[in-house]
Amino acid sequence: MTERRRGGRDAGEGAHGARTPEVVDAWDGLVATARRTVADGLVVGTSGNVSVRVGGTVLVTPTGVPYDRLAPGDVVGVDLDGRQTLGSLRPTSELPMHLAVYRATDARAVVHTHAAHATAVSTLVTELPLIHYMAGALGGPVRVAPYATYGTPELAENMLRALAGRTACLLQNHGTLAHGASLDQAYDRTAQLEWMSRVWLLASSVPGLSPTLLTREQLARAGERLRGYGQPGPDTDGVRAP
């Protein structure tokens, strides 16, 4: 018997149309990534959100729904103008940020978290100090977007400015945002940013000592080498440290 969910619809259908196999696979990957952000301590409860683009459709996590409760029939999709095209659950409140990334870049996935160390760094500096060469894998020094109320166009605009020429940024008193060619790549960049934030906080907390930082030139040289690191494929960009 076909499983029935909200409103009597088949689990394989959204509010405004049927789902394709590609959408089904992408939704499964999105849910797995969202659950991973919780398991790895990058978000608490329903904070943070994940999206993935399939053609002209952006699949996003719904607002206020714990990730462990998401099922195949809970797919939520919008077009690039934010009009809902799949599902009946409301999309994440941070939809403006996600859509801004897709309109401005060739990203296929976006991960937004409230990772503790990265969020702490966002309250202290306007740019993550160059504590490690893996900043080169994110396009260069990671900027902090000025604070704005969550879910607003202002926050999306601040985020885009901080993201210029980068694949990740910090959001002041808020968290992180990273994008990539796949969910795995966007997640790996998020995890790398949190790790670098933690390293800087640890190093700068030693009384009487200041961490040695890389120069822009050193970072640029590392970035060049990182572009060829790893196996050939769409995700090759040196996100995983050699």
Side-chain angles (χ1 to χ4, degrees):
M1 179 181 293
T2 302
E3 179 188 3
R4 290 279 178 174
R5 293 188 61 81
R6 297 172 180 82
R9 291 189 302 278
D10 289 343
E13 298 178 350
H16 307 292
R19 298 183 298 158
T20 65
E22 187 179 12
V23 166
V24 171
D25 288 345
W27 177 254
D28 288 344
L30 180 150
V31 171
T33 301
R35 289 175 177 167
R36 189 178 175 191
T37 64
V38 176
D40 290 352
L42 299 178
V43 304
V44 176
T46 60
S47 66
N49 26 77
V50 178
S51 68
V52 61
R53 181 173 178 177
V54 181
T57 299
V58 176
L59 306 180
V60 296
T61 47
T63 185
V65 179
Y67 299 144
D68 60 358
R69 297 182 190 174
L70 290 176
D74 291 330
V75 61
V76 177
V78 301
D79 63 21
L80 290 174
D81 292 321
R83 290 185 293 262
Q84 190 157 351
T85 58
L86 287 170
S88 59
L89 295 175
R90 288 190 299 132
T92 171
S93 59
E94 296 290 11
L95 185 61
M97 275 205 305
H98 289 258
L99 293 180
V101 172
Y102 292 119
R103 292 180 190 130
T105 74
D106 59 358
R108 308 304 294 183
V110 174
V111 175
H112 164 53
T113 79
H114 292 179
H117 297 93
T119 302
V121 169
S122 80
T123 70
L124 298 171
V125 294
T126 58
E127 183 179 276
L128 176 63
L130 293 178
I131 195 70
H132 197 274
Y133 66 81
M134 285 305 291
L138 303 180
V142 178
R143 307 183 190 101
V144 179
Y147 180 81
T149 304
Y150 80 92
T152 61
E154 181 184 4
L155 177 59
E157 291 168 7
N158 291 350
M159 176 272 304
L160 272 186
R161 284 194 291 271
L163 206 58
R166 306 289 185 266
T167 55
C169 70
L170 297 170
L171 308 171
Q172 188 179 54
N173 294 84
H174 188 154
T176 71
L177 185 137
H179 68 76
S182 67
L183 285 164
D184 283 345
Q185 189 178 67
Y187 183 87
D188 286 346
R189 287 169 171 168
T190 300
Q192 194 64 240
L193 178 53
E194 169 67 354
W195 179 82
M196 286 190 293
S197 296
R198 184 182 181 190
V199 169
W200 180 70
L201 288 171
L202 287 170
S204 59
S205 68
V206 179
L209 296 176
S210 297
T212 300
L213 301 177
L214 300 176
T215 65
R216 300 273 176 149
E217 292 72 23
Q218 288 172 327
L219 183 67
R221 288 196 293 271
E224 287 293 328
R225 291 181 64 84
L226 285 167
R227 272 194 278 275
Y229 176 75
Q231 301 299 318
D235 290 359
T236 298
D237 70 345
V239 168
R240 293 178 177 85

